[in-house]
Amino acid sequence: HSRTYTTTVLPADDPAIMPPKSEGEPLSESKTQILKSWIRQGAVWPEGVKLTPRAKEEPETEVAGAKSELRKRLMAKLGDLKGLGMENYTETIPGTSAEIEMVPIPGGSFMMGSPKDEKGRDPDEGPQHKVKVSPFWMAKFEITWQQYELFMYPEETPEVEGIKPYVGKLVDAVGRPTAPYVEMSFGMGKDGFPAISMTQYAARKFCEWLSAKTGHYYRLPTEAEWEYACRAGSSTAYWFGDDPEKLDEYAWYKGNSNFKYHKVGTKKPNPWGLYNMHGNVAEWCLDQYDPDYYEQFKGVVAQNPYNVPTSEYPRSVRGGSWEDEPADLRSAVRRGSKRAWKALDPQLPKSRWYHTSAQFLGFRIVRPLNIPSADELPKYWTRE
């Protein structure tokens, strides 16, 4: 909660000051001292007191200086957190009825990777090492076609209850996929099903587009965040234990999928309320995939590790899919992307947006509690 106090004592012209200038005058010194004392006493929220976030008009910004303007909007949204804490919330994409349910994941430490005696273990899952992760929200489900196609086909975004889709210059400035040259669900269905076959670049750009649309900062999870969220406090091969015979209750995989993906949320969630962390579709992470990446963390606690990409291949993928064996769905399993995932792409050069041969591949999004600086935003959104 100290971050909350810090934002109330920033210079008056700082865009991150709380409350925002649009909401009135800064807090008086006496009020900031009361807040400080409350935090020191443990920041206990009074029983029965609830806060209701207020909707507000957000002005359009010029494309020039868009990064700093977007960060200003993102910082202002921190004021929406009920009770100065983190709770479940639903993000509605402006101008549409499409919703993304977000689940709070508390910060903490865990052992990343798998022990040497875990059945099915691969060498890139070790050495096991301690990782500390900061708090974030994660999408309850994999991103679906209803959400992703708003990004793919913005000119076809429908009016909802007479409200025209919010676009604005920040949103206009985000690159979007070219039209696909095949039916992208490959006959497996779109209503309630996960979006598939996008490149990591396309998934990153979806996050940038969604951030510009909503004013909340979204991105892909790092490998560390993904595994931490999947495990939900567990240290076993799967979040529910070590027995793959129980997978039918929790995952779609080769043994029960009937050779196709399934609607999101149709198996049991993990203890943090996340569905399909094992199976259904494998999920993009932010990192460059490096089979030896864990070696550098021997004997140290890794703080929010992120292997920043420097080349197009391979990029990290987690979770296993509807076409994988049980051992490939374990929490620690890592996978790198391949050029062969574009084998069916007839274009020259190959599309930057589609991995048409990777019909097992999707993604989910996260929203970190701590927003990066404007200068850091591109490294999470724009790397091809």
Side-chain angles (χ1 to χ4, degrees):
H1 294 301
S2 59
R3 181 182 179 90
T4 302
Y5 169 76
T6 301
T7 59
T8 68
V9 293
L10 292 170
D13 60 350
D14 192 307
I17 191 171
M18 297 298 290
K21 289 188 286 186
S22 61
E23 298 287 332
E25 295 296 321
L27 295 182
S28 65
E29 184 175 353
S30 61
K31 289 182 179 180
T32 60
Q33 288 302 312
I34 291 173
L35 178 61
K36 186 176 183 179
S37 297
W38 175 69
I39 292 171
R40 283 179 171 173
Q41 293 169 13
V44 178
W45 193 251
E47 186 176 350
V49 176
K50 295 184 178 180
L51 297 181
T52 303
R54 292 183 295 172
K56 64 178 181 180
E57 294 293 326
E58 294 183 356
E60 281 198 4
T61 58
E62 297 299 325
V63 174
K67 288 190 298 182
S68 60
E69 287 296 326
L70 179 54
R71 176 172 167 77
K72 186 189 300 184
R73 291 173 57 197
L74 298 176
M75 289 298 296
K77 288 289 185 177
L78 286 176
D80 292 341
L81 302 182
K82 292 183 179 181
L84 305 178
M86 296 175 67
E87 297 187 2
N88 291 45
Y89 72 94
T90 298
E91 185 74 90
T92 302
I93 300 177
T96 80
S97 58
E99 297 180 338
I100 302 175
E101 294 182 65
M102 301 298 293
V103 175
I105 307 298
S109 299
F110 77 113
M111 293 302 293
M112 188 170 183
S114 60
K116 292 182 179 180
D117 61 352
E118 186 168 295
K119 190 174 181 179
R121 181 184 192 265
D122 293 315
D124 64 353
E125 298 169 27
Q128 221 177 4
H129 57 288
K130 192 171 185 178
V131 171
K132 188 173 183 179
V133 176
S134 297
F136 58 96
W137 287 266
M138 188 175 231
K140 180 183 291 188
F141 309 113
E142 297 146 338
I143 293 297
T144 65
W145 284 115
Q146 283 95 331
Q147 298 148 0
Y148 191 68
E149 287 192 329
L150 294 172
F151 166 61
M152 290 176 65
Y153 308 119
E155 68 280 0
E156 298 176 16
T157 302
E159 288 190 25
V160 178
E161 297 178 356
I163 302 173
K164 289 189 176 296
Y166 168 72
V167 182
K169 294 182 179 179
L170 277 174
V171 181
D172 283 339
V174 178
R176 294 186 181 90
T178 53
Y181 43 87
V182 294
E183 196 280 299
M184 292 305 296
S185 80
F186 301 93
M188 292 187 285
K190 286 190 173 180
D191 185 13
F193 292 93
I196 57 169
S197 299
M198 70 292 294
T199 60
Q200 193 212 49
Y201 176 74
R204 284 171 177 262
K205 298 300 283 187
F206 173 88
C207 294
E208 181 181 6
W209 169 84
L210 184 65
S211 299
K213 289 278 283 184
T214 64
H216 285 148
Y217 170 59
Y218 293 105
R219 59 167 171 78
L220 296 178
T222 63
E223 278 201 77
E225 289 169 335
W226 191 96
E227 185 172 330
Y228 176 71
C230 178
R231 290 188 176 280
S234 69
S235 58
T236 47
Y238 310 93
W239 63 257
F240 56 83
D242 290 313
D243 186 1
E245 295 296 323
K246 296 181 179 179
L247 268 175
D248 282 357
E249 297 181 50
Y250 307 104
W252 295 108
Y253 66 105
K254 188 174 182 178
N256 66 0
S257 68
N258 196 25
F259 310 107
K260 61 183 179 180
Y261 62 40
H262 291 259
K263 290 190 176 185
V264 300
T266 50
K267 292 291 183 179
K268 293 179 181 178
N270 78 0
W272 281 338
L274 301 171
Y275 290 78
N276 306 121
M277 294 298 284
H278 299 307
N280 206 25
V281 294
E283 300 176 11
W284 280 118
C285 291
L286 273 177
D287 305 64
Q288 185 89 58
Y289 170 77
D290 177 357
D292 301 318
Y293 184 60
Y294 294 177
E295 294 288 342
Q296 65 189 289
F297 301 118
K298 287 181 179 179
V300 301
V301 177
Q303 303 276 341
N304 296 310
Y306 167 37
N307 191 19
V308 180
T310 56
S311 61
E312 186 176 0
Y313 295 99
R315 302 290 175 88
S316 295
V317 175
R318 288 299 201 116
S321 76
W322 56 268
E323 67 174 26
D324 288 319
E325 299 285 354
D328 295 323
L329 272 62
R330 292 174 298 107
S331 301
V333 169
R334 307 175 66 211
R335 185 174 185 176
S337 62
K338 301 176 181 178
R339 292 185 186 276
W341 294 358
K342 290 185 180 180
L344 296 180
D345 185 349
Q347 301 179 107
L348 291 175
K350 301 288 189 182
S351 170
R352 65 170 23 174
W353 299 104
Y354 303 110
H355 274 316
T356 317
S357 300
Q359 296 161 24
F360 54 84
L361 180 62
F363 71 103
R364 74 179 72 215
I365 60 174
V366 300
R367 175 189 167 196
L369 180 61
N370 299 317
I371 300 171
S373 68
D375 290 338
E376 290 181 309
L377 292 180
K379 79 176 184 179
Y380 299 104
W381 285 337
T382 59
R383 291 180 181 271
E384 290 193 50

